[in-house]
Amino acid sequence: MARQYAPQAYIGFPPSDWGGDSVAEVVTFMQAVGAQHADFIVMQTMDRDAGCFEINPQPSDCARGDGSWYWDETNQTTPNFNQHLATCSSIHSGLGGLPVIWVADPHGSALEHAGRHTWPLSR
């Protein structure tokens, strides 16, 4: 549809965890929806900034109990940069070598919340 109605537009898909529990399942899902025909992959690092999870009490849009949110700069514990890059590499290869563009969700920035909440980034 995009090529028909917006032939000059560049199209990118973000990998979706809805596709499965493993990177291979996500790649298969993304192929099924045609992501390999896009122009690039939109890779996100996380859907919230880490400081959002540390505030007490947590705003409803920050509630999550699945562990550490800061990436280990030494790549010794999880989550870490090497894990993220390995996942990205697998998705990149599985979708035909499309270029990857990283997007950092600004959730928690001072501008978005007009000073109500400000949180440190997780990376």
Side-chain angles (χ1 to χ4, degrees):
M1 176 178 9
R3 303 292 186 219
Q4 179 181 355
Y5 294 108
Q8 300 299 316
Y10 290 99
I11 307 299
F13 282 94
S16 174
D17 289 344
W18 291 351
D21 295 326
S22 71
V23 175
E25 290 174 344
V26 169
V27 168
T28 299
F29 173 76
M30 297 304 292
Q31 290 170 339
V33 299
Q36 71 276 20
H37 302 297
D39 298 301
F40 56 90
I41 299 165
V42 180
M43 197 71 182
Q44 297 179 345
T45 55
M46 188 180 217
D47 65 346
R48 300 285 186 266
D49 294 327
C52 168
F53 302 113
E54 294 176 339
I55 194 169
N56 191 6
Q58 285 184 331
S60 62
D61 58 342
C62 288
R64 183 179 280 176
D66 58 356
S68 177
W69 304 286
Y70 288 98
W71 288 8
D72 177 15
E73 295 176 7
T74 67
N75 293 308
Q76 301 300 309
T77 62
T78 189
N80 65 55
F81 291 89
N82 285 346
Q83 289 172 322
H84 179 74
L85 292 174
T87 296
C88 182
S89 179
S90 295
I91 293 169
H92 166 75
S93 297
L95 294 180
L98 291 175
V100 178
I101 296 174
W102 270 267
V103 176
D105 186 346
H107 186 84
S109 72
L111 293 176
E112 180 181 332
H113 293 284
R116 225 180 48 204
H117 302 295
T118 56
W119 300 301
L121 296 174
S122 54
R123 284 116 192 90

